[in-house]
Amino acid sequence: MAKFINQSDVQSYREDGVVILRGVFTEWVDILGHGAEFHLKNPSKQSLVHHGEHLQGYFLEDFCNWRRIPEYTDFIFNSSLASIASDLMESNSVQFFHDHFFYKEAKSGVPTPWHQDIPYYCVSGHQTVSFWLPLESRQKNVSLKVLAGSHMLNKEVRPTSWSNNESFYEDNEAFMDMPDSDQYEIKEWETEPGDVIVFNFKTIHGANANTVDKVSRTLSFRLMGDDVVFRERPGRTSPNFPGINQKTGERMREDWFPTLWSG
Ligand SMILES: O=C(O)CCC(=O)C(=O)O
């Protein structure tokens, strides 16, 4: 078992689809912060900027920058990310999927609506994990919120565009409506730099706009286990992987999605 987690974390992850791990990446906060500062000045072509209706600041998100930002590469290959992922997913192998950066200026952004990540992705499988890693202290009202147990739904929840709430794909019928959040226990935590909230790609989660007087920078690192395979979707995915050239059911290509751990 990885140094920072125990059997009860693994059990919570299995049952709730989410767990918080305190202080596991403290030594990486400055390194990742350095990478994030470079990132902010040099966003990629895939980056998106959102403006909240009544908030003056801006909210930037960006994907798949690990190859060009050495601090992210270092973290992915040299931290305990992969060993923790292997334990939590109960998976022998761990492949890296992608990184996702969220930058919210003080008094900025739009609320991140309740959603599941997996329907936006070109993958299917249950052994999945996202590490949501805030680089500043975060009060509960601007932290991630998660519906415990929602990763056990047997149909995917309809993905929508965050800007206009319209269905993300034309094939609308393949998905179920968002269940009522009242049916679930909502888990949310105050966090300190070095803490990480870890959740399954199927776990429903969201976040409020950044209404406080402080910038927030968060990195989400997404990893895949033994049962994850490529899945063709009825349109462009988010992030999109043009030229991936894979068929539904194939293991994700290792030249694009490196294996970090093989038990
Ligand atoms: O921090 C946020 O606003 C949203 C995070 C999120 O949706 C994710 O990491 O999947």
Side-chain angles (χ1 to χ4, degrees), residues 69-249:
I69 300 185
E71 290 86 351
Y72 297 176
T73 321
D74 189 16
F75 177 71
I76 291 160
F77 285 94
N78 298 318
S79 72
S80 43
L81 187 73
S83 66
I84 295 175
S86 158
D87 285 338
L88 290 177
M89 297 192 293
E90 300 178 88
S91 173
N92 290 322
S93 70
V94 177
Q95 256 182 299
F96 186 70
F97 188 30
H98 70 273
D99 55 279
H100 193 163
F101 180 49
F102 299 88
Y103 171 72
K104 298 178 186 173
E105 283 186 335
K107 307 260 185 216
S108 76
V110 285
T112 304
W114 289 121
H115 68 284
Q116 262 181 337
D117 286 335
I118 197 148
Y120 296 89
Y121 294 163
C122 58
V123 298
S124 57
H126 190 77
Q127 288 166 296
T128 60
V129 63
S130 283
F131 289 74
W132 185 87
L133 211 158
L135 297 176
E136 297 82 22
S137 308
R138 210 54 67 77
Q139 297 163 15
K140 225 189 226 185
N141 63 340
V142 287
S143 186
L144 197 73
K145 46 188 184 178
V146 175
L147 303 185
S150 55
H151 64 312
M152 297 305 230
L153 287 168
N154 48 24
K155 207 168 175 186
E156 290 178 348
V157 176
R158 181 172 306 105
T160 55
S161 286
W162 291 2
S163 50
N164 59 16
N165 205 29
E166 280 176 10
S167 179
F168 194 75
Y169 302 118
E170 284 177 15
D171 184 6
N172 209 14
E173 293 316 306
F175 301 98
M176 63 178 279
D177 293 337
M178 178 60 65
D180 191 344
S181 57
D182 292 348
Q183 292 170 20
Y184 295 92
E185 181 192 353
I186 298 181
K187 297 231 176 202
E188 49 192 340
W189 296 271
E190 261 179 35
T191 57
E192 290 302 323
D195 298 345
V196 66
I197 299 176
V198 200
F199 56 95
N200 191 295
F201 292 179
K202 294 181 178 172
T203 306
I204 297 171
H205 59 283
N208 296 328
N210 186 26
T211 49
V212 297
D213 243 332
K214 227 171 71 171
V215 159
S216 82
R217 298 167 305 165
T218 310
L219 283 159
S220 280
F221 294 95
R222 329 263 189 206
L223 294 93
M224 312 177 285
D226 295 336
D227 74 349
V228 175
V229 290
F230 179 78
R231 172 167 179 183
E232 199 170 335
R233 295 285 186 182
R236 93 186 277 289
T237 56
S238 175
N240 204 29
F241 292 99
I244 189 168
N245 196 20
Q246 291 215 254
K247 293 192 177 58
T248 294

